[in-house]
Amino acid sequence: MPSGAVQTFTVIGLRSDADMRELFIAGVIPGSVSEVFAVLETSEGEFTRWAMEFDAPDADAAAAHAYVRCRTGDDVEEDSAGALLQAVLADVSVTSRRGGDVSAGAVWIWVLAGADAFVRISGTGDTENEIDYAPAEHHGWYAVYGSDAADAPDPVVLHDGSGCRDFRADTAAVVETIRRFLAVTRRGR
């Protein structure tokens, strides 16, 4: 995230009663105004009004924190590079999950791209095979398309942001690459 003064933002939206991990953000307002919004005790057409305050450098970061809070609760550090990447992926309707190889000490973000196919995303450089690091420590995203099928071709590098220290720009670039790749892949089926 860009360095700058941190301020309080209020994120408002609707949270799904069927799946509390689903949040539909209606807006991000500068300041502390969450108490103005009444949270309903009952369903409103399968959604509940939701508002929460976040300290962040900008409105986009506050929205990303809100998505992460709803998806993960308090179990994952919501300021980690991986959590923020997952929030941005979710914002463009790309479902992702955490995965990795515990014995190798590697953690990735997985995006399903077909029955046996996936896109695996992790950090590069000093954060190679990691996602749980501060955005200020970012050295680039690395995204690979691969498959677990027996006759699968070699993995294909979709994005190599090696050396990119601009977390925001590199995150936007890898998300756009994945979004476009998935759109083409799904049209080809």
Side-chain angles (χ1 to χ4, degrees):
M1 307 273 51
S3 62
V6 173
Q7 60 181 327
T8 300
F9 290 91
T10 301
V11 179
I12 59 170
L14 295 173
R15 196 166 183 183
S16 171
D17 291 341
D19 183 353
M20 295 298 283
R21 295 173 298 168
E22 289 293 328
L23 175 66
F24 303 93
I25 294 178
V28 180
I29 302 168
S32 176
V33 294
S34 63
E35 295 170 5
V36 174
F37 298 94
V39 176
L40 303 177
E41 292 181 16
T42 59
S43 175
E44 183 179 80
E46 300 181 14
F47 293 98
T48 299
R49 291 181 196 168
W50 185 89
M52 187 174 272
E53 296 168 8
F54 295 92
D55 291 330
D58 56 41
D60 290 336
H65 292 314
Y67 283 127
V68 170
R69 174 64 57 94
C70 288
R71 275 186 193 77
T72 63
D74 294 325
D75 297 341
V76 173
E77 178 60 44
E78 63 188 57
D79 289 334
S80 75
L84 294 172
L85 173 59
Q86 284 190 278
V88 176
L89 286 165
D91 198 31
V92 296
S93 301
V94 173
T95 303
S96 66
R97 65 179 173 83
R98 293 170 55 93
D101 183 343
V102 177
S103 64
V107 182
W108 306 293
I109 294 171
W110 295 92
V111 175
L112 294 179
D116 296 321
F118 56 85
V119 176
R120 186 184 77 207
I121 313 154
S122 65
T124 64
D126 290 348
T127 58
E128 182 176 355
N129 291 325
E130 295 180 30
I131 58 172
D132 295 323
Y133 57 86
E137 299 170 7
H138 189 68
H139 287 268
W141 290 120
Y142 188 76
V144 176
Y145 171 72
S147 175
D148 291 330
D151 59 346
D154 290 335
V156 176
V157 175
L158 299 178
H159 177 84
D160 186 354
S162 295
C164 182
R165 301 289 307 217
D166 186 338
F167 176 76
R168 180 178 226 151
D170 195 36
T171 298
V174 74
V175 167
E176 182 60 16
T177 298
I178 291 167
R179 189 190 66 73
R180 286 183 180 180
F181 175 77
L182 292 174
V184 169
T185 302
R186 290 177 180 146
R187 271 196 306 258
R189 288 185 200 157

